[in-house]
Amino acid sequence: MQDIIKAIEEASIKIKDLIETGDTGKSEQENSTGDTQLKLDIASDVIIENIFKQIPSIKAIVSEEQEEIVDLNEDGEYLIAYDPLDGSSLVDVNLSVGSIYGIYKNEFNAQNIVASIYVVFGPRVEMVVATDDVKMYRLLKGKFEFIQNIVLNEKGKLNAPGSTQNCWAPYHKQMIDDIFQDGYRLRYSGGMVPDLHQILLKGGGLFSYPGTTDRPKGKLRQLFEVFPFAYTYEKANGGAVDGFKRALEVETTHIHDTTPCFFGSKTEINRVLEVYKNNG
Ligand code: P6P
């Protein structure tokens, strides 16, 4: 695993430079989920894939920016699904973005995730590694230095209510309104990585991206967005659900599948489960 962490550190330093200097224009392509690919998306993906190709322990990779699985080493131990630059369109307005990595064994599915890593590119570059616990590192003078462990409080203060207005569940909006009535503060940038990083570092709360009327299975991708953060939140003493069950019990049928998702402290996650169960 250390070889993978080092590879992600090397890729992140290159991606940081790319963000600062790269062309944020649109490419001529769309990815598998129909998102228009920015040149930054493709360039970040190339950086990561070229570095992963040098790591013998990686058997295969799945990228948000590529349709198919890429086989690397037949005898490799790990499978990695990644989003090379999530929220890349936010670079144009100088908001934080991030890379997300789900590390699996045997199969690309929730039951086989063994670690997750994400990197936030903001005023500072920070990497969060979830294995048995959750550790945060910061890029300082060209090296990633350990900063702290991350543990969520039982109950938080922040609320990041993605796609609430378009949710298919009529009771969802009232649930979110009630949470705000309880004094939670709105924190939503439209970037999954910084939004979830903030909740982790500020003691907890709730991030929602439910199913919508046009996308009842949600927008966020299982293998390289939802499952890695679900793993991170559970290891940080929080939780992650699809509204009715643990996100890490969601079945994957295609490598680009999406799922509704909620991440947060235990109190907020239990509230989501209760509201969806009583009304669903
Ligand atoms: P919306 C970015 O495009 C992204 O995939 C996630 O980073 C973010 O949480 C979500 O979409 C934002 O979606 O519908 O609020 O713009």
Side-chain angles (χ1 to χ4, degrees):
M1 185 71 70
Q2 276 309 314
D3 54 351
I4 292 172
I5 295 172
K6 290 300 172 201
I8 290 172
E9 290 180 359
E10 180 188 346
S12 300
I13 290 168
K14 292 182 187 310
I15 292 172
K16 172 181 179 293
D17 293 343
L18 179 72
I19 291 168
E20 288 167 2
T21 58
D23 177 352
T24 59
K26 290 182 181 174
S27 75
E28 300 305 314
Q29 302 160 240
E30 279 190 355
N31 67 16
S32 313
T33 328
D35 302 333
T36 301
Q37 288 179 305
L38 301 186
K39 292 173 184 172
L40 281 181
D41 292 320
I42 295 168
S44 303
D45 187 38
V46 168
I47 287 170
I48 294 168
E49 182 175 348
N50 286 341
I51 289 172
F52 278 174
K53 278 178 176 171
Q54 301 164 37
I55 310 294
S57 68
I58 303 176
K59 184 179 182 72
I61 57 177
V62 162
S63 165
E64 177 180 294
E65 307 308 335
Q66 298 185 49
E67 180 66 36
E68 305 296 338
I69 295 175
V70 177
D71 294 318
L72 296 183
N73 302 288
E74 192 175 337
D75 299 328
E77 186 182 0
Y78 296 108
L79 306 169
I80 301 183
Y82 64 93
D83 182 352
L85 199 60
D86 182 79
S88 54
S89 59
L90 296 171
V91 170
D92 256 352
V93 292
N94 204 23
L95 287 179
S96 298
V97 293
S99 304
I100 312 167
Y101 303 83
I103 297 153
Y104 301 82
K105 281 189 172 180
N106 307 315
E107 283 183 73
F108 282 110
N109 61 33
Q111 295 74 20
N112 283 286
I113 191 167
V114 296
S116 65
I117 297 174
Y118 69 83
V119 179
V120 191
F121 300 97
R124 300 188 290 206
V125 178
E126 293 179 338
M127 175 177 71
V128 173
V129 180
T131 50
D132 295 329
D133 61 7
V134 181
K135 291 192 182 335
M136 185 179 90
Y137 303 81
R138 183 173 297 148
L139 185 59
L140 296 168
K141 296 189 175 67
K143 283 185 64 184
F144 281 89
E145 306 289 355
F146 174 73
I147 301 296
Q148 66 175 82
N149 276 66
I150 297 178
V151 180
L152 283 164
N153 298 334
E154 281 296 309
K155 185 175 184 297
K157 302 185 185 69
L158 304 184
N159 188 6
S163 87
T164 291
Q165 300 304 333
N166 312 318
C167 181
W168 62 264
Y171 45 83
H172 178 90
K173 189 176 180 313
Q174 188 56 55
M175 177 185 79
I176 296 297
D177 290 349
D178 292 347
I179 290 174
F180 279 121
Q181 287 304 315
D182 289 347
Y184 285 71
R185 294 194 298 280
L186 172 63
R187 293 291 186 272
Y188 191 79
S189 74
M192 177 182 196
V193 176
D195 288 344
L196 286 165
H197 189 57
Q198 180 172 200
I199 291 172
L200 280 168
L201 289 183
K202 298 278 188 180
L206 181 67
F207 173 102
S208 315
Y209 209 101
T212 56
T213 46
D214 60 327
R215 290 174 126 171
K217 289 191 176 179
K219 171 183 183 181
L220 301 181
R221 276 57 60 132
Q222 292 177 5
L223 289 177
F224 38 78
E225 291 173 336
V226 178
F227 295 164
F229 270 108
Y231 188 88
T232 303
Y233 266 66
E234 289 193 353
K235 292 298 183 184
N237 197 40
V241 295
D242 69 352
F244 300 98
K245 63 183 178 299
R246 285 176 67 228
L248 292 179
E249 292 172 3
V250 169
E251 294 295 320
T252 298
T253 54
H254 185 276
I255 57 173
H256 291 285
D257 280 350
T258 62
T259 178
C261 53
F262 302 80
F263 308 88
S265 307
K266 283 181 176 162
T267 301
E268 290 82 349
I269 290 298
N270 289 333
R271 188 177 215 167
V272 170
L273 289 171
E274 184 185 357
V275 167
Y276 270 67
K277 182 179 175 208
N278 293 343
N279 295 276

